[in-house]
Amino acid sequence: MRRRALLVAQGAAVGLVALLLGLLVWKLVSNQGGDLARAASDGKLPKAPNFRLDRLDKPGSFQLSDLRGKAVAVNFWASWCAPCKQESPYLEQAWAQDRKKGLVVVGVDANDFRSDARGFMSKYGITYPVVYDGPGKTLGPWGIKGFPETYVVDREGRVVDAFVGAIASAADRARLRDAIREALG
Amino acid sequence: MTRSLVALAAIFAALVACVGTASAVGAPPRAADLESELVCPVCKTTLDQSDSPVANRMKAYIRARIAAGWSAQRIKDSLVAQFGQGVLAKPPKGDFGLLAWVFPLAVLGAGAVVVGILVVAWSRRRGPPSPPPLDPALERRVDEELARFEG
């Protein structure tokens, strides 16, 4: 009887250690990030993770999966991010140029104050839809490592290209145009 | 005379107590305290240890709200409304946050019980089993042989 109790106690201790080890491995793996961008750059067309967030530009919420059938450029940004200021005119330009063909540019403002984000949108003339993710809960599933990052998603919800960092150079802008053309199909 | 002095002392003590209470209740929160209790959402360290742009923006927000007369709790609540519960360095002692306080203690308690059981089990464990007693006839014969040998 005592031997049985001992075995149970030892089993419980080993189980607890295994659980903690599992949690550690899960944490390390889930914190890797960047996989989506890497897979997109390798041409693997990974599925874009869905999100549902409140809008900043007007009342209501917004779900990415509602845009299935359209090409989407998802731009992760924050008002305190200096390179975000640099690229916002190009995103606005792309939105104005291709929205009639079926492109939607979506800004995801993360780790930011709502008021700061609205001020940024007003200052830089952003007219495309922007959603708010203060706690940054979308950053993990998308593997976002910093701001800005932009993902071009095709009409089937697959990521065709990813831009880690600002879309600032002429080469970046040309690549964005190509990615949008591919996403529009 | 003595009665007047006692009354004066009592009034003075009451005044001191009132002033002390008023200053404790009305004391504005300290930015340094709040910065050590709130976490930068980008670098995941407390604000006082971070110099990231968002941490600096949050520090400025805290100072502005203190200057506007906000309480520490109101400032924390407003930051939680923007950045979520993860902005708090310590989880709140209620609802799900209570689990973060209770779970480690429960695991520690369970570990102590397991260790206790093991210690008791190991301390009670005897050495190698003693050999079975000798047959009385054989024992008598061994005694006789030994006696003869010693004799």
Side-chain angles (χ1 to χ4, degrees), chain B residues 141-151:
Chain B
R141 197 179 144 197
V142 168
D143 287 344
E144 284 170 9
E145 290 286 337
L146 280 172
R148 199 184 313 146
F149 180 74
E150 284 168 0

Side-chain angles (χ1 to χ4, degrees), chain A residues 8-83:
Chain A
V8 169
Q10 284 174 337
V14 169
L16 189 66
V17 170
L19 179 73
L20 292 173
L21 203 65
L23 279 173
L24 178 70
V25 170
W26 175 78
K27 178 75 180 163
L28 289 173
V29 169
S30 65
N31 266 2
Q32 285 291 309
D35 289 347
L36 195 69
R38 205 174 309 123
S41 300
D42 292 346
K44 290 178 183 168
L45 301 176
K47 197 171 179 294
N50 190 30
F51 56 74
R52 184 185 193 90
L53 293 164
D54 288 340
R55 288 185 73 148
L56 263 181
D57 54 326
K58 62 180 189 179
S61 64
F62 181 94
Q63 187 164 246
L64 183 64
S65 60
D66 290 345
L67 296 177
R68 194 60 52 84
K70 288 178 178 284
V72 189
V74 186
N75 173 242
F76 291 86
W77 66 280
S79 66
W80 44 263
C81 147

